[in-house]
């Protein structure tokens, strides 16, 4: 049975200064289907969504909703026509309550009925199992809960079309399942759902159909059930795909007599990690494994003194040094790419160039600015080296895709030429292609003698790159794993059993 | 890989409420301190009422300004618009065709016209509010001096009656030195303050418009995505602050009875300070209109204290300045503690340093 088309887009084009984000893209959404929109970061998925909902004005093309041509000028119009949207960047107001965020901009009465609104919100929250109170300020909710609230808002709108732009990036497995159940239910009610994600597994679990975009162009539309994963990846990446498993790891010769590049003894921090010892050799890549909240990030933050250090001593190449602030860490040759680039790493309004030279500039001192020429030379070098996709080095970093932003931050640290570089979840929320590139880069840097810590939620990524895995549980190191034959299963076992077996 | 994610729902105080609470507590403490140190004056109810009687215009201006600030903007024209209104009313009332009703219309009219003009330029043409309202400040000042240079004492009988009108609270008062009981008096301006406070505070809490203002101040981009007409909301906030500046102007002349070039000059700075002390965050989205009078009164009590202590008057300005520093730092501190982020001064976009310099103090890691 061919169900009817509710949304059809034809020949959509949209340019931003220096980038053609969409180039004659077509897209078709049917009633009661879950349609995955796939593509690398920067492929134009979010832009396509925003063209539908009237956030951006398209340059050319046609959109029809149930056969009628539409042209939304503001998100409000789209909302009124039954299109519920959860944008990639959570678009809620942090200073309003949870209930307000679910209902604001939707009511038609001039008076706010708080009681009724809170009751309705409480019902909705309960039915979706969201652990939040309606009267709580949104800012006090975790990112995952905020994401769920944005979804709840969109779902509640009695929509014909639901658009979810990477809604699962900050959700845990349970929450993802809840979301999927909800999507399935809406599907039976005839809602057409556009679903964007980076998790291939999720695409195969939930979607009926897949449309692939690449570099702003339409690649194809496929039935999920008859579209193998490897083919999906190759469509997304074009011919950039390379078999990463063939990458050769560099195994440093480690003996007890080698002096480690970095050695911390009894380190602890205000963030609450139990005192731990950690050292790393020249050219070594190690990883920290453990569940979310096990203290992986806190440990590396203690190494970099990103949280207040409360105890312990540090040796760099055998020499005692004092590292109490991030600046001291940087001066000692340690670099740290934070987990949350949105909060900790990026200065959104600054250009790519200024973001790249930032740390080096801090080291040099702000009163001795780099000449534009020099800064440009640095920026150019790294834009090329890391294959950063940006129109110019002068483009504000906020207009780049997530993966490219991540590369910019990485470039910032590489420019300072650290001896020891810590990467905390550098591959989270970015596309497959960039993930592969970053892993390859890590190995290349190690081959050149840099020591690295590489943290990822995806254990197979760490197994591929790290020669040593430190397993954490409850803010404590419970095991250290080595060996080339480690499998994901082994690591999961150790995490689950708290290190008792090995 | 599974993740452990425990989130306990808890409804903590909103930022608006906590800042309001702090402002209220500080005010009460200060007033108690004032009563203890200068019981002769601060023990009397009349002293408390006079804070309102004499400063009603400032409180009214602060109310309107707070709305703009909650929406993430600023209006520094309020003082000059208020001054212009006093002079326009004085000139009109001294004219033989003058009437009190007409004067009220003039006051409201001038305020609204300024509000519409500035609101349009800021909301729809997206020009920096600081620049626009600074121009508004000069424009109003220029109009004021063009209108009339010398002080005008309004002598129209009906107006003089209104000026001298007091509401006497017979059961509340104090004996004077001769032992005669003097009842407390409230000026009509105080009543207007209370009425406006109730109306505007309710508007901000229970109307769709009010909540939209908070949303826009919190994150205007999100507000737009949530389906709020951001431009219209911003526009209306400026119309409201123009309107309250007009009302403040009428209350001003109703209290002093004279048009004067220096009327309400510099009041915008006091109003901004009052709003901040009252718990309105300079970068928008946070504030409570009930805090506006509390902020004004706190500022006034401090000045009264300094005067009562017999310190030179230039100290008043200095102490007001220090107070402001104190509150801005305190607020930034509380916000960063609550959000467990690094301390970041809560400044609106129109007050930030240039982009380059910003990166410097923003991030040293
Ligand atoms: N507001 C904007 N200004 C300039 N360029 C933009 C803007 N939004 C997106 N782009 C550019 O358009 C391209 C597509 O981005 P986007 O739609 O966000 O990709 P995706 O969602 O598929 O990761 C990217 O190259 C990005 O840099
Ligand atoms: Mg996107």
């Amino acid at each position: 049975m061919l169900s009817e088309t509710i949304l059809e887009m034809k020949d959509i084009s949209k340019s931003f200064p220096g980038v053609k984000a969409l180039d004659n893209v077509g897209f078709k959404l049917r009633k009661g289907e879950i349609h995955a929109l796939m593509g690398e970061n920067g492929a134009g998925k979010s832009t396509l969504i925003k063209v539908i909902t009237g956030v951006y004005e398209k340059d050319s093309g046609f959109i029809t909703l149930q056969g009628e041509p539409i042209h939304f000028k503001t998100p409000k119009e789209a909302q009124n026509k039954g299109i519920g949207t959860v944008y990639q960047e959570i678009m809620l107001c942090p200073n309003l309550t949870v209930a307000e965020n679910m209902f604001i901009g939707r009511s038609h009465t001039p008076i706010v009925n708080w009681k009724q609104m809170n009751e309705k919100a409480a019902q909705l929250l309960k039915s979706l199992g969201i652990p939040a109170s309606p009267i709580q300020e949104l800012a006090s909710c975790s990112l995952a809960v905020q994401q769920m609230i944005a979804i709840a808002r969109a779902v509640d709108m009695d929509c014909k079309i639901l658009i979810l732009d990477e809604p699962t990036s900050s959700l845990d497995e349970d929450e993802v399942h809840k979301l999927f159940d909800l999507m399935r239910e809406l599907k039976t009610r005839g809602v057409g759902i556009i679903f964007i994600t980076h998790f291939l597994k999720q695409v195969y679990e939930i979607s009926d159909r897949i449309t692939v975009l690449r570099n702003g162009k339409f690649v194809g539309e496929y039935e999920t059930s008859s579209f193998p994963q490897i083919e999906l990846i190759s469509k997304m990446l074009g011919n950039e795909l390379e078999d990463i498993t063939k990458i050769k790891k560099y195994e440093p010769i480690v003996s007890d007599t080698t002096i480690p590049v970095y050695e911390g003894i009894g380190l602890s921090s205000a963030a609450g990690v139990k005192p731990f010892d950690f050292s790393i050799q020249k050219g070594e890549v190690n990883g920290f494994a453990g569940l979310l909240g096990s203290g992986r990030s806190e440990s590396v933050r203690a190494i970099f003194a990103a949280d207040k250090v409360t105890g312990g001593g540090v040796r760099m190449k055998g020499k005692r040094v004092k590292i109490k602030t991030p600046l001291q860490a940087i001066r000692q040759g340690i670099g740290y790419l934070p987990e949350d680039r949105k909060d900790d790493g990026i200065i959104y309004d600054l250009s790519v160039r200024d973001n790249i030279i930032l740390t080096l500039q801090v080291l040099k001192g702000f009163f001795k600015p780099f000449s534009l020429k020099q800064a440009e030379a640095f920026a150019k070098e790294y834009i090329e080296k890391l294959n950063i996709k940006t129109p110019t080095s002068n483009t504000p970093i906020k207009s780049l895709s997530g993966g490219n932003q991540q590369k910019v931050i990485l470039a910032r640290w590489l420019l300072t030429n650290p001896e020891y570089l810590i990467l905390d979840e550098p591959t989270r929320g970015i596309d497959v292609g960039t993930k592969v590139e970053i892993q390859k880069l890590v190995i290349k840097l190690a081959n050149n003698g840099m020591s690295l810590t590489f943290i990822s939620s995806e254990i197979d990524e760490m197994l591929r790159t790290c020669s040593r895995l430190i397993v954490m549980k409850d803010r404590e190191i419970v095991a250290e794993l080595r060996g080339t034959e480690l499998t994901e299963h082994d690591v999961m076992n150790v995490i689950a059993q708290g290190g008792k077996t090995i | 890989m599974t993740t452990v994610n425990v989130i306990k729902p808890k409804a903590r105080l909103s930022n608006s409420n906590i800042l309001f609470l702090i402002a209220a507590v500080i005010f009460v403490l200060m007033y108690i301190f004032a009563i203890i140190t200068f019981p002769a004056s601060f023990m009397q109810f009349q002293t408390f009422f006079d804070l309102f009687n004499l400063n009603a215009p400032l409180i009214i201006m602060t109310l309107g300004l707070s709305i703009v600030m909650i929406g993430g903007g600023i209006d520094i024209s309020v003082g000059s618009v208020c001054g212009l209104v006093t002079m326009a009313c004085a000139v009109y009332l001294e004219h033989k065709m003058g009437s009190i009703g007409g004067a009220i219309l003039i006051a409201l009219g001038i305020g609204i016209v300024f509000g519409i003009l500035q609101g349009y330029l800021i909301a729809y043409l997206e020009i920096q509010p600081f620049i626009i309202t600074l121009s508004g400040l000069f424009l109003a000042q220029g109009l004021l001096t063009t209108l009339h240079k010398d002080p005008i004492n309004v002598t129209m009988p009906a107006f003089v009656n209104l000026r001298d009108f007091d509401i006497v609270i017979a059961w509340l008062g104090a004996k004077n030195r001769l032992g005669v009981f003097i009842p407390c008096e409230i000026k009509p301006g105080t009543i207007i303050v209370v009425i406006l406070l109730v109306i505007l505070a309710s508007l901000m809490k229970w109307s769709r418009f009010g909540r939209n203002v908070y949303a826009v101040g919190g994150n205007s981009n999100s507000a737009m995505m949530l389906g709020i007409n951001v431009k219209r909301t911003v526009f209306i906030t400026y119309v409201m602050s123009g309107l309250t500046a007009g009302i403040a102007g009428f209350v001003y002349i109703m209290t002093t009875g004279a048009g004067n070039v220096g009327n309400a000059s510099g009041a915008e700075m006091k109003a901004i300070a009052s709003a901040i002390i009252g718990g309105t965050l300079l970068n928008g989205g946070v504030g409570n209109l009930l805090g506006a009078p509390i902020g004004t009164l706190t500022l006034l009590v401090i000045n009264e204290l300094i005067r009562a202590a017999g310190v030179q008057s230039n100290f008043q300005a200095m102490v007001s300045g220090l107070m402001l520093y104190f509150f801005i730092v305190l607020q930034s501190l509380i916000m960063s503690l609550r959000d467990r982020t690094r301390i970041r001064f809560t400044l609106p976009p129109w007050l930030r340093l240039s982009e380059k310099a910003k990166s410097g103090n923003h991030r040293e890691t």
Side-chain angles (χ1 to χ4, degrees):
Chain A
M1 191 192 83
L2 251 176
S3 55
E4 72 183 281
T5 301
I6 33 177
L7 181 80
E8 182 156 20
M9 307 178 77
K10 267 193 199 139
D11 305 331
I12 304 288
S13 292
K14 170 77 194 168
S15 294
F16 294 111
V19 195
K20 188 140 199 186
L22 295 174
D23 189 0
N24 278 314
V25 171
F27 181 78
K28 202 183 216 182
L29 181 69
R30 293 158 194 83
K31 210 174 155 184
E33 77 166 353
I34 297 176
H35 197 136
L37 188 55
M38 301 295 292
E40 278 198 273
N41 260 329
K45 305 176 300 285
S46 298
T47 306
L48 188 72
I49 299 309
K50 289 179 180 172
V51 164
I52 301 176
T53 62
V55 176
Y56 295 147
E57 178 106 359
K58 57 184 182 297
D59 298 340
S60 62
F62 310 92
I63 308 177
T64 52
L65 181 66
Q66 292 181 315
E68 277 175 44
I70 50 162
H71 184 92
F72 299 132
K73 288 200 191 61
T74 62
K76 191 182 178 79
E77 292 175 29
Q79 197 171 295
N80 290 343
K81 284 277 183 194
I83 300 181
T85 314
V86 176
Y87 295 96
Q88 184 172 6
E89 318 79 24
I90 299 173
M91 287 292 181
L92 298 174
C93 291
N95 59 329
L96 302 186
T97 68
V98 167
E100 282 190 283
N101 268 296
M102 290 160 74
F103 291 102
I104 202 162
R106 292 169 52 193
S107 98
H108 301 285
T109 53
I111 305 291
V112 178
N113 186 339
W114 283 87
K115 193 158 165 274
Q116 198 188 348
M117 182 171 79
N118 287 337
E119 275 166 11
K120 263 165 76 180
Q123 263 174 25
L124 197 58
L125 289 170
K126 194 159 160 242
S127 72
L128 298 181
I130 303 171
S133 141
I135 55 170
Q136 185 178 6
E137 213 171 41
L138 186 85
S140 66
C141 299
S142 72
L143 214 59
V145 170
Q146 294 189 19
Q147 185 85 63
M148 291 297 284
I149 289 166
I151 294 168
R153 175 187 164 97
V155 167
D156 184 51
M157 291 205 278
D158 243 346
C159 44
K160 291 193 275 256
I161 295 174
L162 178 63
I163 302 173
L164 302 167
D165 193 350
E166 303 204 14
T168 54
S169 55
S170 55
L171 301 187
D172 68 26
E173 219 159 273
D174 253 11
E175 290 161 329
V176 170
H177 276 132
K178 260 185 246 158
L179 174 64
F180 283 2
D181 286 343
L182 190 72
M183 283 163 68
R184 289 193 189 100
E185 192 198 316
L186 292 172
K187 183 176 137 174
T188 58
R189 278 198 246 151
V191 177
I193 301 174
I194 303 175
F195 179 57
I196 300 176
T197 183
H198 278 300
F199 300 104
L200 300 184
K201 207 176 119 223
Q202 296 179 354
V203 172
Y204 280 93
E205 186 179 341
I206 192 94
S207 75
D208 303 308
R209 222 177 290 266
I210 299 174
T211 290
V212 178
L213 299 183
R214 188 170 69 233
N215 281 331
K217 293 198 181 71
F218 175 81
V219 176
E221 194 201 79
Y222 313 92
E223 294 273 348
T224 309
S225 51
S226 55
F227 191 45
Q229 182 158 333
I230 186 75
E231 206 155 313
L232 170 59
I233 295 176
S234 74
K235 294 283 183 217
M236 284 165 62
L237 299 184
N239 24 19
E240 293 161 43
L241 183 66
E242 243 179 87
D243 192 5
I244 178 144
T245 51
K246 285 191 194 134
I247 300 170
K248 178 87 188 73
K249 270 198 286 213
Y250 168 73
E251 297 282 349
I253 312 127
V254 183
S255 72
D256 293 338
T257 51
T258 330
I259 298 168
V261 170
Y262 171 93
E263 187 177 15
I265 297 152
L267 281 183
S268 63
S269 81
V273 264
K274 309 219 173 103
F276 66 98
D277 301 341
F278 171 77
S279 65
I280 189 164
Q281 302 286 342
K282 186 173 165 67
E284 186 188 348
V285 183
N286 91 308
F288 280 81
L291 300 179
L292 213 67
S294 60
R296 332 181 279 227
S297 292
E298 287 78 1
S299 307
V300 291
R301 288 176 70 87
I303 293 171
F304 188 68
D307 299 318
K308 194 172 174 324
V309 177
T310 51
V314 177
R315 281 208 185 94
M316 294 288 294
K317 290 195 234 157
K319 225 176 69 205
R320 278 205 83 88
V321 294
K322 194 178 126 200
I323 297 183
K324 294 289 175 200
T325 67
L327 195 60
Q328 285 169 342
I330 296 172
R331 293 232 156 93
Q332 293 299 338
I334 302 178
Y336 165 66
L337 188 127
E339 178 179 26
D340 191 348
R341 60 172 176 266
K342 219 169 169 177
D343 259 11
D344 280 336
I346 288 182
I347 295 164
Y348 276 88
D349 294 324
L350 283 189
S351 66
V352 171
R353 184 202 314 126
D354 289 345
N355 265 296
I356 289 180
I357 64 160
L358 190 61
T359 305
L360 198 61
Q361 183 71 74
V362 171
L363 281 177
K364 196 177 174 209
F366 270 97
F367 300 105
K368 291 177 240 153
F370 287 111
S371 71
L372 186 64
K373 209 170 126 208
Q374 202 171 9
E376 183 61 40
F378 284 142
K380 235 181 159 165
E381 180 189 342
Y382 279 92
I383 288 174
E384 218 160 273
K385 258 191 194 164
L386 301 188
N387 188 20
I388 300 173
K389 286 187 192 119
T390 172
T392 69
S393 62
N394 207 15
T395 310
I397 192 169
K398 62 182 168 196
S399 56
L400 264 57
S401 66
N404 282 309
Q405 291 179 355
Q406 190 69 291
K407 286 187 190 169
V408 171
I409 308 294
L410 201 54
R412 176 194 293 172
W413 288 110
L414 295 182
L415 187 57
T416 65
N417 200 13
E419 284 178 77
Y420 173 34
L421 181 60
I422 303 167
L423 307 172
D424 194 356
E425 296 257 22
T427 54
R428 188 171 67 180
I430 64 176
D431 58 289
V432 193
T434 316
K435 277 184 187 185
V436 173
E437 277 181 65
I438 287 182
Q439 291 167 54
K440 280 200 280 193
L441 183 73
V442 165
I443 291 162
K444 194 172 133 208
L445 290 170
N447 281 331
N448 293 341
M450 194 184 284
S451 311
L452 294 109
T453 290
F454 176 86
I455 300 182
S456 169
S457 292
E458 316 220 355
I459 292 175
D460 62 313
E461 283 184 6
M462 285 197 283
L463 290 176
R464 221 171 282 142
T465 46
C466 304
S467 50
R468 181 166 59 113
L469 270 188
I470 291 171
V471 182
M472 300 205 60
K473 191 173 185 181
D474 295 331
R475 300 176 178 264
E476 218 172 351
I477 295 178
V478 291
E480 213 178 289
L481 308 178
R482 282 172 203 275
T484 35
E485 303 91 69
L486 273 181
T487 64
E488 193 166 338
H489 190 73
D490 298 338
V491 180
M492 293 297 282
N493 260 344
V494 176
I495 290 175
Q497 293 166 14
K500 300 232 168 54
T501 43
I502 301 186
Chain B
M1 172 166 163
T2 56
T3 51
V4 184
N5 208 347
V6 189
I7 310 144
K8 287 193 210 87
K10 58 170 198 290
R12 59 170 199 183
L13 234 50
S14 74
N15 285 339
S16 291
N17 289 345
I18 199 150
L19 290 186
F20 169 70
L21 223 69
I22 290 170
V25 168
I26 287 182
F27 171 69
V28 170
L29 290 180
M30 186 130 55
Y31 209 84
I32 292 173
F33 175 74
I35 290 176
I36 294 169
T37 37
F38 301 103
S41 61
F42 283 98
M43 260 312 255
Q44 296 189 15
F45 286 106
Q46 189 61 45
T47 308
F48 182 72
F49 289 133
D50 277 345
L51 285 175
F52 283 93
N53 288 342
L54 301 176
N55 298 292
L58 182 55
I59 300 177
I60 295 172
M61 264 181 259
T62 307
L63 284 172
L65 178 67
S66 296
I67 297 178
V68 168
M69 283 170 64
I70 291 171
I74 191 74
D75 185 350
I76 56 171
S77 72
V78 289
S80 298
V81 171
C82 172
L84 171 64
V85 166
T86 63
M87 184 60 93
C89 287
V91 170
Y92 171 74
L93 287 166
E94 280 305 88
H95 197 270
K96 49 185 178 304
M97 292 188 8
S99 72
I100 289 178
I104 291 176
L105 286 183
I106 286 179
L108 299 182
I110 291 176
I112 289 179
V113 166
F114 265 88
I116 289 177
L117 180 70
Q118 300 185 140
Y120 179 78
L121 291 171
I122 292 164
Y124 291 99
L125 302 190
E126 295 178 11
I127 312 176
Q128 283 280 339
F130 185 81
I131 307 292
I132 293 298
T133 55
L134 183 67
S135 316
L137 181 151
F138 289 132
L139 178 62
Q141 250 170 16
L143 286 172
L144 168 58
T145 44
T146 317
L147 204 58
H148 210 275
K149 281 205 178 55
D150 306 314
I152 306 176
N153 223 332
V154 181
T155 51
M156 180 192 164
F159 181 79
V160 172
N161 281 341
L162 179 67
R163 185 193 69 195
D164 294 339
F165 179 75
D166 284 323
I167 299 158
V168 178
I169 309 178
W171 46 270
L172 203 64
K175 291 203 170 80
N176 71 0
R177 254 176 292 165
L178 302 172
V180 182
F181 182 82
I182 313 267
C184 282
E185 290 172 355
I186 294 177
K187 288 271 182 196
T190 303
I191 305 292
I192 297 179
V193 166
V194 173
I195 294 173
L196 278 177
L197 181 62
V198 171
I199 293 177
L200 294 179
S202 311
L203 187 79
M204 292 305 281
K205 174 78 189 174
W206 284 292
S207 79
R208 190 174 61 185
F209 162 75
R211 302 320 295 175
N212 287 356
V213 173
Y214 277 93
V216 170
N219 185 336
S220 66
N221 203 13
S222 293
M224 193 261 285
M225 301 283 203
L226 291 173
I228 291 169
N229 191 334
V230 173
K231 290 183 175 172
R232 192 175 64 201
T233 307
V234 169
F235 173 72
I236 298 175
T237 62
Y238 285 94
V239 176
M240 306 266 292
S241 89
L243 182 65
T244 50
I247 297 174
F250 186 79
V251 172
Y252 197 109
I253 194 166
M254 200 164 69
T255 318
T256 62
N260 195 324
V261 177
N263 276 359
S265 74
E268 59 281 340
M269 289 305 153
K270 284 186 195 158
I272 293 173
S274 302
I276 292 173
I277 294 174
T280 302
L281 224 51
L282 207 46
N283 59 342
V286 175
N288 184 331
L289 281 211
L290 298 180
I294 288 181
T296 319
L297 295 191
T298 306
L299 199 61
L300 291 169
V301 170
I302 293 170
N303 286 341
E304 284 294 309
L305 273 173
I306 294 166
R307 215 180 51 196
V311 186
Q312 284 151 321
S313 66
N314 47 355
F315 267 85
Q316 292 184 13
M318 275 165 57
V319 171
S320 305
L322 290 177
M323 276 285 290
L324 209 56
Y325 278 136
F326 171 74
F327 270 92
I328 292 179
V329 171
L330 183 74
Q331 289 173 351
S332 304
L333 208 67
I334 291 169
M335 293 295 126
S336 60
L337 279 181
R338 301 199 93 201
D339 301 342
R340 268 174 267 130
T341 53
R342 235 168 296 141
I343 292 190
R344 214 170 278 172
F345 280 99
T346 48
L347 291 180
W350 51 268
L351 247 183
R352 295 214 183 110
L353 299 171
S354 74
E355 298 288 81
K356 275 227 164 66
K358 192 174 80 187
S359 72
N361 45 29
H362 192 140
R363 194 182 152 79
E364 146 242 3
T365 54

